[in-house]
Coordinates of all heavy atoms in Angstrom, one line a residue:
M15 N 64.7 -47.3 -8.6 CA 65.4 -47.7 -9.7 C 64.8 -46.9 -10.9 O 65.7 -46.5 -11.8 CB 65.1 -49.1 -10.0 CG 66.1 -49.6 -11.1 SD 66.2 -51.4 -11.3 CE 64.6 -51.9 -12.2
R16 N 63.6 -46.5 -11.0 CA 63.1 -45.7 -12.1 C 63.8 -44.3 -12.1 O 64.1 -43.7 -13.0 CB 61.7 -45.5 -12.0 CG 60.9 -46.8 -12.4 CD 59.4 -46.6 -12.4 NE 58.8 -47.8 -12.7 CZ 57.5 -48.0 -12.3 NH1 56.9 -47.2 -11.7 NH2 57.0 -49.2 -12.7
L17 N 64.1 -43.7 -10.8 CA 64.8 -42.5 -10.8 C 66.3 -42.5 -11.1 O 66.7 -41.7 -11.8 CB 64.5 -41.9 -9.3 CG 65.0 -40.6 -9.0 CD1 64.5 -39.5 -9.8 CD2 64.8 -40.3 -7.6
R18 N 66.9 -43.4 -10.5 CA 68.3 -43.5 -10.7 C 69.0 -44.4 -11.7 O 70.0 -44.2 -12.2 CB 68.9 -44.1 -9.3 CG 68.7 -43.2 -8.2 CD 69.2 -43.7 -6.9 NE 70.7 -43.6 -7.0 CZ 71.4 -44.3 -6.1 NH1 70.9 -45.2 -5.3 NH2 72.7 -44.4 -6.3
G19 N 68.1 -45.3 -12.3 CA 68.5 -46.2 -13.4 C 69.1 -47.4 -12.9 O 69.3 -47.5 -11.6
A20 N 69.5 -48.3 -13.8 CA 70.0 -49.6 -13.5 C 71.3 -49.6 -13.1 O 71.9 -50.4 -12.2 CB 69.8 -50.6 -14.6
G21 N 72.2 -48.8 -13.7 CA 73.7 -48.8 -13.3 C 74.4 -49.9 -13.9 O 73.9 -50.5 -14.9
E22 N 75.7 -50.0 -13.4 CA 76.6 -51.1 -14.0 C 77.3 -51.8 -12.7 O 77.5 -51.1 -11.7 CB 77.7 -50.4 -14.8 CG 77.3 -49.8 -16.0 CD 78.5 -49.1 -16.8 OE1 79.4 -48.5 -16.1 OE2 78.4 -49.0 -18.0
L23 N 77.7 -52.9 -12.9 CA 78.4 -53.6 -11.9 C 79.8 -53.2 -12.1 O 80.5 -53.0 -11.0 CB 78.4 -55.2 -12.0 CG 77.0 -55.8 -11.9 CD1 77.0 -57.3 -12.1 CD2 76.6 -55.6 -10.3
L24 N 80.4 -53.1 -13.1 CA 81.8 -52.6 -13.3 C 81.8 -51.4 -14.3 O 81.5 -51.7 -15.5 CB 82.7 -53.6 -13.9 CG 82.7 -55.0 -13.0 CD1 83.5 -56.1 -13.8 CD2 83.4 -54.8 -11.8
G25 N 82.1 -50.3 -13.7 CA 82.0 -49.1 -14.7 C 81.8 -47.8 -14.0 O 81.9 -47.9 -12.7
T26 N 81.5 -46.8 -14.7 CA 81.3 -45.5 -14.0 C 79.9 -45.1 -13.6 O 79.8 -44.3 -12.7 CB 81.8 -44.4 -15.0 OG1 81.1 -44.4 -16.2 CG2 83.4 -44.6 -15.4
L27 N 78.9 -45.9 -14.0 CA 77.6 -45.6 -13.6 C 77.5 -46.2 -12.1 O 78.2 -47.0 -11.6 CB 76.6 -46.2 -14.4 CG 76.5 -45.6 -15.9 CD1 75.5 -46.4 -16.7 CD2 76.1 -44.2 -15.9
Q28 N 76.4 -45.8 -11.4 CA 76.2 -46.3 -10.0 C 76.1 -47.8 -10.1 O 75.8 -48.4 -11.0 CB 74.8 -45.7 -9.5 CG 73.7 -46.2 -10.3 CD 72.3 -45.6 -9.9 OE1 72.4 -44.5 -9.4 NE2 71.2 -46.3 -10.2
S29 N 76.5 -48.4 -9.0 CA 76.4 -49.9 -8.9 C 74.9 -50.2 -8.9 O 74.0 -49.5 -8.5 CB 77.0 -50.3 -7.6 OG 78.3 -50.0 -7.5
G30 N 74.7 -51.4 -9.4 CA 73.3 -51.9 -9.6 C 73.2 -52.9 -10.6 O 74.2 -53.6 -11.0
I31 N 72.0 -53.1 -11.0 CA 71.7 -54.3 -12.0 C 72.3 -53.8 -13.4 O 72.0 -52.7 -13.8 CB 70.2 -54.6 -12.1 CG1 69.8 -55.0 -10.7 CG2 69.9 -55.6 -13.1 CD1 68.2 -55.1 -10.5
P32 N 72.9 -54.6 -14.1 CA 73.5 -54.3 -15.4 C 72.3 -53.9 -16.4 O 71.2 -54.4 -16.3 CB 74.3 -55.4 -15.9 CG 73.6 -56.6 -15.1 CD 73.2 -56.1 -13.8
L33 N 72.7 -53.0 -17.3 CA 71.7 -52.7 -18.4 C 71.6 -53.9 -19.4 O 72.5 -54.5 -19.7 CB 72.2 -51.4 -19.2 CG 72.3 -50.2 -18.3 CD1 72.9 -49.2 -19.0 CD2 70.9 -49.8 -17.7
F34 N 70.4 -54.1 -19.9 CA 70.1 -55.1 -21.0 C 70.2 -54.5 -22.3 O 69.8 -53.3 -22.4 CB 68.9 -55.8 -20.7 CG 68.8 -56.7 -19.4 CD1 68.1 -56.2 -18.3 CD2 69.5 -57.9 -19.3 CE1 68.1 -57.1 -17.1 CE2 69.4 -58.7 -18.2 CZ 68.9 -58.2 -17.1
R35 N 70.4 -55.2 -23.3 CA 70.4 -54.7 -24.7 C 68.9 -54.4 -25.2 O 68.7 -53.4 -25.9 CB 71.0 -55.8 -25.6 CG 72.4 -56.0 -25.4 CD 72.9 -56.9 -26.6 NE 74.3 -57.2 -26.3 CZ 75.0 -58.1 -26.9 NH1 74.3 -58.8 -27.9 NH2 76.2 -58.5 -26.6
L36 N 68.0 -55.2 -24.7 CA 66.7 -55.2 -25.3 C 65.6 -54.7 -24.3 O 64.5 -54.5 -24.8 CB 66.3 -56.5 -26.0 CG 67.2 -57.0 -27.1 CD1 66.7 -58.3 -27.5 CD2 67.1 -56.1 -28.3
A37 N 66.0 -54.7 -23.1 CA 64.8 -54.4 -22.1 C 65.3 -53.6 -21.1 O 66.6 -53.5 -20.7 CB 64.3 -55.8 -21.4
D38 N 64.4 -52.9 -20.3 CA 64.8 -52.0 -19.2 C 63.9 -52.6 -18.1 O 62.7 -52.7 -18.1 CB 64.4 -50.6 -19.5 CG 64.6 -49.6 -18.4 OD1 64.9 -50.1 -17.3 OD2 64.6 -48.4 -18.6
L39 N 64.5 -52.9 -16.9 CA 63.9 -53.6 -15.9 C 62.7 -52.8 -15.4 O 61.7 -53.2 -15.0 CB 64.9 -54.0 -14.8 CG 65.7 -55.1 -15.0 CD1 66.7 -55.4 -13.9 CD2 65.0 -56.4 -15.2
A40 N 63.0 -51.5 -15.3 CA 61.9 -50.6 -14.7 C 60.7 -50.6 -15.5 O 59.6 -50.4 -15.2 CB 62.6 -49.2 -14.5
V41 N 60.9 -50.6 -16.9 CA 59.7 -50.5 -17.8 C 59.1 -51.9 -18.2 O 58.0 -52.0 -18.4 CB 60.3 -49.8 -19.1 CG1 59.2 -49.7 -20.1 CG2 60.8 -48.4 -18.8
H42 N 60.0 -52.9 -18.3 CA 59.6 -54.2 -18.9 C 59.5 -55.3 -17.9 O 59.6 -56.5 -18.2 CB 60.5 -54.6 -20.0 CG 60.5 -53.5 -21.1 ND1 61.7 -52.8 -21.3 CD2 59.6 -53.1 -22.0 CE1 61.4 -51.9 -22.3 NE2 60.2 -52.2 -22.8
A43 N 59.3 -55.0 -16.6 CA 59.4 -56.0 -15.5 C 58.3 -57.1 -15.8 O 58.6 -58.3 -15.6 CB 59.2 -55.3 -14.1
D44 N 57.2 -56.8 -16.1 CA 56.1 -57.7 -16.4 C 56.4 -58.6 -17.6 O 56.1 -59.8 -17.6 CB 54.8 -57.0 -16.5 CG 54.8 -55.9 -17.6 OD1 55.8 -55.3 -18.0 OD2 53.6 -55.7 -18.1
L45 N 57.0 -58.0 -18.6 CA 57.2 -58.8 -19.9 C 58.4 -59.8 -19.5 O 58.4 -60.9 -19.9 CB 57.7 -57.8 -20.9 CG 58.1 -58.4 -22.3 CD1 56.8 -59.2 -22.9 CD2 58.5 -57.4 -23.2
L46 N 59.4 -59.3 -18.7 CA 60.5 -60.2 -18.4 C 60.0 -61.2 -17.5 O 60.6 -62.4 -17.6 CB 61.6 -59.4 -17.6 CG 62.4 -58.4 -18.6 CD1 63.2 -57.4 -17.9 CD2 63.2 -59.1 -19.6
A47 N 59.1 -61.1 -16.7 CA 58.6 -62.0 -15.7 C 57.8 -63.1 -16.6 O 58.0 -64.4 -16.4 CB 57.6 -61.4 -14.7
A48 N 57.1 -62.7 -17.6 CA 56.4 -63.6 -18.5 C 57.3 -64.5 -19.3 O 57.2 -65.6 -19.4 CB 55.5 -62.8 -19.4
A49 N 58.4 -63.8 -19.8 CA 59.6 -64.5 -20.5 C 60.2 -65.5 -19.6 O 60.4 -66.7 -20.0 CB 60.5 -63.5 -21.0
R50 N 60.4 -65.3 -18.4 CA 61.0 -66.1 -17.4 C 60.1 -67.4 -17.2 O 60.6 -68.5 -17.3 CB 61.3 -65.5 -16.1 CG 61.9 -66.4 -15.1 CD 61.8 -66.0 -13.7 NE 60.3 -65.9 -13.3 CZ 59.7 -64.8 -12.8 NH1 60.4 -63.8 -12.4 NH2 58.4 -64.8 -12.5
D51 N 58.8 -67.1 -17.0 CA 57.9 -68.2 -16.9 C 57.7 -69.1 -18.1 O 57.7 -70.3 -18.0 CB 56.5 -67.6 -16.6 CG 56.5 -67.0 -15.1 OD1 57.4 -67.1 -14.3 OD2 55.5 -66.2 -14.9
D52 N 57.8 -68.5 -19.3 CA 57.8 -69.2 -20.6 C 59.0 -70.1 -20.8 O 58.9 -71.2 -21.2 CB 57.5 -68.1 -21.7 CG 57.2 -68.9 -22.9 OD1 56.2 -69.7 -22.9 OD2 57.8 -68.6 -24.0
A53 N 60.2 -69.4 -20.4 CA 61.4 -70.2 -20.5 C 61.3 -71.4 -19.5 O 61.8 -72.5 -19.9 CB 62.6 -69.4 -20.2
R54 N 60.9 -71.3 -18.4 CA 60.9 -72.4 -17.4 C 59.9 -73.5 -17.9 O 60.2 -74.6 -17.8 CB 60.3 -71.8 -16.0 CG 60.1 -72.9 -15.0 CD 61.1 -73.9 -14.6 NE 62.4 -73.3 -14.4 CZ 63.6 -73.9 -14.5 NH1 63.6 -75.1 -14.8 NH2 64.7 -73.2 -14.3
M55 N 58.8 -73.0 -18.5 CA 57.9 -74.0 -19.1 C 58.5 -74.8 -20.2 O 58.4 -76.0 -20.3 CB 56.5 -73.3 -19.6 CG 55.5 -74.3 -20.0 SD 54.1 -73.4 -20.8 CE 54.8 -72.7 -22.3
I56 N 59.2 -74.2 -21.2 CA 59.9 -74.9 -22.2 C 60.9 -75.7 -21.8 O 61.1 -76.9 -22.3 CB 60.3 -73.9 -23.4 CG1 60.4 -74.6 -24.7 CG2 61.6 -73.2 -23.0 CD1 59.2 -75.1 -25.3
V57 N 61.7 -75.5 -20.8 CA 62.7 -76.3 -20.2 C 62.1 -77.5 -19.5 O 62.6 -78.7 -19.7 CB 63.6 -75.5 -19.3 CG1 64.6 -76.5 -18.5 CG2 64.5 -74.5 -20.1
D58 N 61.0 -77.3 -18.8 CA 60.3 -78.3 -18.0 C 59.7 -79.3 -19.0 O 59.7 -80.6 -18.8 CB 59.3 -77.8 -17.1 CG 59.9 -77.1 -15.9 OD1 61.2 -77.4 -15.7 OD2 59.1 -76.5 -15.2
R59 N 59.2 -78.8 -20.2 CA 58.3 -79.8 -21.1 C 59.2 -80.3 -22.3 O 58.7 -81.2 -22.9 CB 57.2 -78.9 -21.6 CG 56.1 -78.6 -20.4 CD 54.9 -77.9 -21.0 NE 53.9 -77.7 -20.0 CZ 52.9 -77.0 -20.2 NH1 52.5 -76.7 -21.3 NH2 52.1 -76.8 -19.1
D60 N 60.1 -79.4 -22.7 CA 60.8 -79.8 -24.0 C 62.2 -79.5 -23.8 O 62.7 -78.7 -24.5 CB 60.2 -79.1 -25.1 CG 60.7 -79.5 -26.5 OD1 61.3 -80.6 -26.6 OD2 60.6 -78.7 -27.4
L61 N 63.0 -80.2 -23.0 CA 64.4 -79.8 -22.7 C 65.2 -80.1 -23.9 O 66.3 -79.3 -24.1 CB 64.9 -80.9 -21.6 CG 66.2 -80.6 -21.1 CD1 66.4 -79.2 -20.5 CD2 66.6 -81.6 -20.0
E62 N 64.9 -81.0 -24.9 CA 65.7 -81.2 -26.0 C 65.4 -80.2 -27.1 O 66.1 -80.1 -28.1 CB 65.5 -82.6 -26.6 CG 65.9 -83.7 -25.6 CD 67.4 -83.8 -25.3 OE1 68.1 -83.5 -26.3 OE2 67.8 -84.0 -24.2
L63 N 64.4 -79.3 -26.9 CA 64.0 -78.3 -28.0 C 63.7 -79.1 -29.3 O 63.9 -78.6 -30.3 CB 64.9 -77.2 -28.2 CG 65.2 -76.3 -26.9 CD1 66.3 -75.2 -27.2 CD2 64.0 -75.7 -26.4
A64 N 62.9 -80.2 -29.1 CA 62.7 -81.1 -30.3 C 61.2 -80.7 -30.9 O 61.0 -80.9 -32.0 CB 62.7 -82.5 -29.9
S65 N 60.4 -80.2 -30.1 CA 59.0 -79.7 -30.6 C 59.2 -78.6 -31.7 O 60.2 -78.1 -31.9 CB 58.1 -79.3 -29.5 OG 58.5 -78.1 -29.0
E66 N 58.1 -78.4 -32.4 CA 58.1 -77.3 -33.3 C 58.4 -75.9 -32.7 O 59.2 -75.2 -33.2 CB 56.7 -77.2 -34.0 CG 56.5 -76.1 -35.1 CD 55.2 -76.1 -35.7 OE1 54.6 -77.1 -35.7 OE2 54.8 -75.0 -36.1
R67 N 57.9 -75.7 -31.4 CA 58.2 -74.5 -30.7 C 59.7 -74.5 -30.3 O 60.4 -73.6 -30.3 CB 57.3 -74.3 -29.5 CG 57.4 -73.1 -28.8 CD 56.5 -72.9 -27.7 NE 56.6 -71.6 -27.1 CZ 55.9 -71.3 -26.1 NH1 55.2 -72.1 -25.4 NH2 56.2 -70.0 -25.6
G68 N 60.2 -75.7 -29.8 CA 61.6 -75.7 -29.5 C 62.4 -75.5 -30.7 O 63.5 -74.9 -30.5
Q69 N 62.2 -76.0 -31.8 CA 63.0 -75.7 -33.0 C 63.0 -74.2 -33.3 O 64.0 -73.7 -33.7 CB 62.4 -76.4 -34.2 CG 62.6 -78.0 -34.1 CD 64.0 -78.4 -34.1 OE1 64.9 -77.9 -34.9 NE2 64.5 -79.2 -33.1
A70 N 61.8 -73.6 -33.1 CA 61.8 -72.1 -33.3 C 62.7 -71.4 -32.4 O 63.3 -70.3 -32.7 CB 60.4 -71.6 -33.2
L71 N 62.7 -71.8 -31.1 CA 63.6 -71.2 -30.1 C 65.1 -71.5 -30.4 O 65.9 -70.5 -30.3 CB 63.3 -71.8 -28.7 CG 61.9 -71.3 -28.1 CD1 61.7 -72.3 -26.8 CD2 62.1 -69.9 -27.8
R72 N 65.4 -72.6 -31.0 CA 66.7 -72.9 -31.5 C 67.2 -71.8 -32.6 O 68.3 -71.4 -32.5 CB 66.9 -74.3 -32.1 CG 67.0 -75.4 -31.0 CD 67.0 -76.7 -31.7 NE 67.1 -77.8 -30.8 CZ 68.2 -78.4 -30.4 NH1 69.4 -78.1 -30.8 NH2 68.2 -79.3 -29.5
V73 N 66.2 -71.5 -33.5 CA 66.5 -70.4 -34.5 C 66.7 -69.2 -33.8 O 67.7 -68.5 -34.3 CB 65.4 -70.5 -35.5 CG1 65.5 -69.3 -36.5 CG2 65.3 -71.8 -36.3
L74 N 65.9 -68.8 -32.9 CA 66.1 -67.5 -32.2 C 67.4 -67.5 -31.5 O 68.2 -66.5 -31.5 CB 65.0 -67.3 -31.2 CG 63.6 -66.8 -31.7 CD1 62.6 -66.8 -30.7 CD2 63.8 -65.4 -32.5
L75 N 67.9 -68.5 -30.8 CA 69.1 -68.6 -30.2 C 70.2 -68.4 -31.1 O 71.3 -67.8 -30.8 CB 69.2 -70.0 -29.4 CG 68.4 -70.0 -28.2 CD1 68.4 -71.5 -27.5 CD2 69.0 -69.1 -27.1
Y76 N 70.1 -69.0 -32.2 CA 71.1 -68.9 -33.4 C 71.2 -67.5 -33.7 O 72.3 -66.9 -34.0 CB 70.8 -69.8 -34.4 CG 71.7 -69.6 -35.7 CD1 73.0 -70.1 -35.7 CD2 71.2 -68.9 -36.7 CE1 73.8 -69.9 -36.8 CE2 72.1 -68.7 -37.8 CZ 73.4 -69.1 -37.8 OH 74.1 -69.0 -38.9
L77 N 70.1 -66.9 -34.1 CA 70.0 -65.4 -34.6 C 70.6 -64.5 -33.6 O 71.3 -63.5 -34.0 CB 68.5 -65.1 -34.9 CG 67.9 -65.8 -36.1 CD1 66.5 -65.5 -36.3 CD2 68.8 -65.5 -37.3
F78 N 70.5 -64.7 -32.3 CA 71.0 -63.8 -31.3 C 72.3 -64.4 -30.8 O 72.9 -63.9 -29.8 CB 70.0 -63.8 -30.0 CG 68.9 -62.8 -30.3 CD1 67.6 -63.3 -30.7 CD2 68.9 -61.5 -30.1 CE1 66.7 -62.5 -31.0 CE2 68.0 -60.7 -30.3 CZ 66.8 -61.1 -30.7
E79 N 73.0 -65.2 -31.5 CA 74.3 -65.8 -31.4 C 74.5 -66.4 -30.0 O 75.4 -66.2 -29.2 CB 75.4 -64.7 -31.6 CG 75.3 -64.2 -33.0 CD 76.3 -63.0 -33.2 OE1 77.0 -62.6 -32.2 OE2 76.7 -62.9 -34.4
R80 N 73.3 -67.1 -29.5 CA 73.3 -67.7 -28.3 C 73.1 -69.3 -28.4 O 72.7 -70.0 -27.4 CB 72.3 -67.1 -27.3 CG 72.5 -65.7 -27.0 CD 73.6 -65.5 -26.0 NE 73.6 -64.1 -25.6 CZ 74.6 -63.3 -26.0 NH1 75.6 -63.7 -26.7 NH2 74.7 -62.1 -25.4
D81 N 73.2 -69.9 -29.5 CA 72.8 -71.2 -29.8 C 73.8 -72.2 -29.0 O 73.4 -73.3 -28.8 CB 73.0 -71.5 -31.3 CG 74.2 -71.0 -32.0 OD1 74.6 -69.8 -31.7 OD2 74.8 -71.9 -32.8
E82 N 74.9 -71.7 -28.7 CA 75.8 -72.6 -27.8 C 75.2 -72.9 -26.5 O 75.5 -73.9 -25.8 CB 77.1 -71.9 -27.5 CG 78.2 -72.7 -27.1 CD 79.5 -72.0 -27.2 OE1 80.1 -71.6 -28.2 OE2 80.0 -71.9 -26.1
A83 N 74.2 -72.0 -26.1 CA 73.5 -72.4 -24.8 C 72.6 -73.6 -24.7 O 72.4 -74.2 -23.7 CB 72.5 -71.1 -24.5
V84 N 72.3 -74.1 -25.9 CA 71.5 -75.3 -25.9 C 72.2 -76.5 -25.3 O 71.7 -77.3 -24.7 CB 71.2 -75.6 -27.4 CG1 70.4 -77.0 -27.6 CG2 70.3 -74.6 -28.1
R85 N 73.6 -76.4 -25.4 CA 74.4 -77.5 -24.9 C 74.3 -77.5 -23.3 O 74.4 -78.6 -22.7 CB 75.9 -77.4 -25.3 CG 76.1 -77.7 -26.7 CD 77.7 -77.7 -27.0 NE 78.2 -76.4 -26.6 CZ 79.6 -76.3 -26.3 NH1 80.2 -77.4 -26.3 NH2 80.1 -75.1 -26.0
Y86 N 74.0 -76.4 -22.7 CA 74.0 -76.3 -21.3 C 72.6 -76.5 -20.7 O 72.5 -76.4 -19.4 CB 74.5 -74.8 -20.9 CG 75.9 -74.7 -21.4 CD1 76.2 -73.7 -22.3 CD2 76.9 -75.4 -21.0 CE1 77.4 -73.5 -22.9 CE2 78.2 -75.2 -21.4 CZ 78.6 -74.2 -22.4 OH 79.7 -74.1 -22.9
L87 N 71.6 -76.7 -21.5 CA 70.2 -76.9 -21.0 C 70.2 -78.0 -19.9 O 69.5 -77.9 -18.9 CB 69.2 -77.0 -22.1 CG 68.8 -75.8 -22.9 CD1 68.0 -76.2 -24.0 CD2 68.2 -74.7 -22.0
R88 N 70.8 -79.1 -20.2 CA 70.8 -80.3 -19.3 C 71.5 -80.1 -18.1 O 71.3 -80.7 -17.1 CB 71.3 -81.5 -20.1 CG 70.3 -82.0 -21.0 CD 70.8 -83.2 -21.7 NE 69.8 -83.8 -22.5 CZ 69.5 -85.0 -22.6 NH1 70.2 -85.9 -21.9 NH2 68.4 -85.4 -23.2
A89 N 72.5 -79.1 -18.1 CA 73.3 -78.8 -16.9 C 72.6 -78.3 -15.7 O 72.8 -78.5 -14.6 CB 74.5 -78.0 -17.2
G90 N 71.4 -77.7 -16.0 CA 70.5 -77.1 -15.0 C 70.9 -75.8 -14.6 O 71.2 -74.9 -14.4

């Protein structure tokens, strides 16, 4: 993947994992794994995002125009 790049699912680049706006899987794999683990922890401990940290996450979701996702947290 480091040699050929991530590619696109639909497009002219080779087939593969889609490109992210903020991260490159080949470069940031360890950071993305930590983010995944952190996200799992917050969902397990504060599903309503009611804690101080949860409220900060709500603000981040809003800033990245993903605040609608809060409605889907309970869906699993």
Side-chain angles (χ1 to χ4, degrees):
M15 187 163 86
R16 287 185 184 154
L17 179 63
R18 297 178 67 203
E22 296 177 326
L23 291 175
L24 301 172
T26 58
L27 295 177
Q28 68 187 23
S29 295
I31 301 170
L33 300 172
F34 293 105
R35 290 183 191 174
L36 299 174
D38 180 347
L39 287 177
V41 176
H42 302 109
D44 55 336
L45 183 59
L46 291 169
R50 180 201 60 229
D51 294 342
D52 196 47
R54 173 55 48 202
M55 182 183 68
I56 197 75
V57 167
D58 289 344
R59 294 183 182 177
D60 186 18
L61 186 60
E62 299 293 326
L63 299 180
S65 68
E66 184 176 329
R67 186 172 184 194
Q69 292 298 314
L71 288 171
R72 283 178 183 264
V73 170
L74 281 174
L75 287 168
Y76 172 77
L77 291 173
F78 282 94
E79 299 177 349
R80 300 288 190 247
D81 49 317
E82 201 171 293
V84 174
R85 292 189 302 155
Y86 302 113
L87 285 175
R88 287 183 169 223

